[in-house]
Amino acid sequence: MLPVKVRELNELVENLTILRQQMTDEIRITKAQDEQCHRKKLARTVKTIYFSDPRDSGQVAAFNATKYYNETVMRFTYSSNIRITTRGFGLARWIMYINGQICSNPGTTDILMFQSDNEETHVPSVMMGECSAIPSGWLGPGQYLITIAVGGLPDTPWPVGDVHSGWVSNTYFEALELCPPIRLS
């Protein structure tokens, strides 16, 4: 009985590896395409703001970003001071949205912070991730609204703590348009 389960598990892992490689190949380019991409003027958006937002849930920051080309990917960076304090145990999750949607390729960009025992911790944090698609489709050329929201973590018993975003500090946002990785095969 056990060898059959191991065999099924190995097949599943092999199938997942193949699927992951196929998804990765979709956004990879050849060396010639890479050279052509690097000759283009790619978009870069930088914004620094000074803010302090005591909301425990909802949108805490918003930025506009530009993308010029269809075949590129976007890298987003959000750097700010965050804080959570609790009576007992709590958590907070800062999450990035692109036009109101979470990145679907390669995945979610977020920060999760846990706190216990009435501690009050202020932490400089950086949230960074690349994105080539959201649930409504691939990120093509155009303007995008990037928002940062704070709240809890779905399907967990832990409450959201007393959260603060920014905490009297400069917050840095950057959006970079990048050439995708080169396909090696």
Side-chain angles (χ1 to χ4, degrees):
M1 180 91 159
L2 187 59
V4 172
K5 293 291 183 189
V6 170
R7 198 174 2 209
E8 289 174 6
L9 185 59
N10 285 337
E11 286 177 18
L12 178 63
V13 169
E14 186 177 321
N15 289 339
L16 287 173
T17 304
I18 292 168
L19 180 62
R20 181 177 180 204
Q21 184 62 45
Q22 288 171 345
M23 289 177 60
T24 303
D25 284 345
E26 286 182 24
I27 61 169
R28 291 182 182 249
I29 58 175
T30 65
K31 186 168 181 159
Q33 290 169 320
D34 180 64
E35 290 170 1
Q36 183 181 15
C37 183
H38 279 91
R39 284 193 281 269
K40 296 177 180 178
K41 181 182 186 300
L42 302 176
R44 180 174 187 239
T45 306
V46 176
K47 184 173 184 179
T48 303
I49 59 172
Y50 184 84
F51 86 108
S52 191
D53 193 321
R55 272 182 273 210
D56 295 339
S57 65
Q59 180 180 310
V60 294
F63 312 94
N64 289 308
T66 302
K67 185 172 188 280
Y68 293 141
Y69 303 99
N70 216 15
E71 68 275 8
T72 56
V73 297
M74 295 296 291
R75 177 183 296 154
F76 301 103
T77 304
Y78 169 79
S79 174
S80 188
N81 196 351
I82 59 176
R83 182 214 75 172
I84 179 174
T85 185
T86 62
R87 288 180 177 76
F89 184 83
L91 60 83
R93 180 186 192 201
W94 287 260
I95 188 165
M96 186 177 297
Y97 291 90
I98 302 164
N99 286 354
Q101 300 177 60
I102 295 171
C103 181
S104 60
N105 190 348
T108 305
T109 302
D110 63 355
I111 297 173
L112 189 59
M113 187 175 182
F114 294 90
Q115 195 69 18
S116 64
D117 300 329
N118 296 322
E119 293 180 15
E120 183 172 343
T121 305
H122 300 262
V123 180
S125 299
V126 175
M127 180 183 347
M128 180 188 288
E130 291 184 7
C131 187
S132 58
I134 52 180
S136 62
W138 292 98
L139 295 180
Q143 290 285 319
Y144 292 93
L145 176 63
I146 313 306
T147 54
I148 308 299
V150 68
L153 190 60
D155 303 323
T156 62
W158 304 301
V160 175
D162 180 13
V163 179
H164 209 106
S165 304
W167 192 254
V168 195
S169 64
N170 281 328
T171 294
Y172 175 81
F173 173 79
E174 181 178 52
L176 286 173
E177 185 175 14
L178 304 171
C179 295
I182 296 174
R183 187 180 300 131
L184 298 176
S185 55

